[in-house]
């Protein structure tokens, strides 16, 4: 049997632990209370005004049943809001608020810093290689996930 440190799943889990810890530390130091998933959701809502929860979940590769809690917290923080859909009375569309836009603008330096810290110890070429290989591995396994990444439907 291989040592855990020779298994990609173990290493991916460890990197995820580090990535979340670094993100939270940088964001908290900047004076914000936002998780990586909340940040991804808010940025995606800003980029896709009027999208619904199911679409948002697909765009950030997050479980459809638990995305509601993420959105609830964004709404409670005044960063996003749900509105009745103009196309389907039963559906709710998501919109970013002015406070959400300000938060994204102000939090960006902390998020960018976190990304740099996550890759420290790697040269620029190694960082590029890691990102390329992560994209490749994720694309090959996307459909195996409980929450596969979905593209925006035009």
């Amino acid at each position: 049997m291989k040592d855990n440190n020779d298994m990609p799943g173990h290493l991916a889990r460890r990197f995820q632990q580090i990535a979340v810890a670094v993100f939270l530390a940088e964001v908290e130091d900047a004076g914000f209370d936002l998780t990586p998933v909340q940040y991804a959701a808010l940025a995606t809502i800003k980029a896709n005004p009027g999208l619904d929860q199911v679409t948002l979940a697909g765009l950030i590769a997050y479980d459809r049943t638990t995305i509601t809690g993420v959105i609830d917290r964004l709404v409670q923080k005044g960063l996003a809001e749900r509105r009745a859909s103009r196309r389907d009375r039963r559906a709710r569309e998501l919109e970013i608020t002015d406070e959400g836009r300000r938060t994204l603008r102000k939090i960006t330096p902390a998020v960018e810093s976190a990304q740099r810290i996550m890759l420290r110890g790697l040269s620029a070429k190694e960082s590029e290689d890691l990102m390329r290989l992560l994209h490749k591995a994720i694309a090959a396994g996307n459909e195996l996930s409980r929450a596969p990444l979905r593209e925006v439907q035009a």
Side-chain angles (χ1 to χ4, degrees):
M1 175 142 170
K2 286 184 171 184
D3 179 88
N4 283 340
N5 292 316
D6 293 326
M7 296 182 181
H10 176 75
L11 294 175
R13 182 185 64 79
R14 286 291 297 128
F15 191 77
Q16 170 66 4
Q17 288 174 320
I18 293 164
V20 169
V22 167
F23 182 95
L24 293 175
E26 289 298 300
V27 165
E28 184 179 308
D29 286 350
F32 294 95
D33 175 27
L34 214 57
T35 68
V37 173
Q38 290 169 355
Y39 173 81
L42 190 60
T44 302
I45 292 167
K46 180 180 184 256
N48 301 278
L51 80 167
D52 61 81
Q53 290 183 187
V54 172
T55 302
L56 173 63
L59 291 174
I60 65 171
Y62 203 70
D63 184 70
R64 289 170 47 171
T65 59
T66 53
I67 194 69
T68 302
V70 173
I71 296 165
D72 286 346
R73 284 183 283 291
L74 292 175
V75 169
Q76 288 166 359
K77 293 176 182 185
L79 304 176
E81 56 186 28
R82 293 179 176 101
R83 294 184 181 163
S85 172
R86 293 176 291 268
R87 296 179 296 277
D88 180 352
R89 289 184 307 169
R90 298 166 295 166
R92 306 283 280 174
E93 294 178 348
L94 302 170
E95 297 287 340
I96 190 169
T97 63
D98 289 341
E99 182 61 26
R101 282 185 192 80
R102 276 190 295 279
T103 296
L104 280 179
R105 190 172 49 254
K106 291 178 180 178
I107 202 173
T108 296
V111 172
E112 290 172 350
S113 175
Q115 306 314 299
R116 286 189 300 275
I117 292 169
M118 287 173 213
L119 297 175
R120 75 178 177 195
L122 299 180
S123 69
K125 174 72 168 104
E126 288 169 332
S127 293
E128 288 176 24
D129 289 345
L130 176 62
M131 293 300 294
R132 181 181 50 78
L133 292 170
L134 285 170
H135 282 288
K136 185 175 182 178
I138 290 166
N142 187 51
E143 294 305 319
L144 302 174
S145 171
R146 285 194 251 169
L149 181 68
R150 300 289 181 221
E151 300 295 323
V152 175
Q153 301 299 315

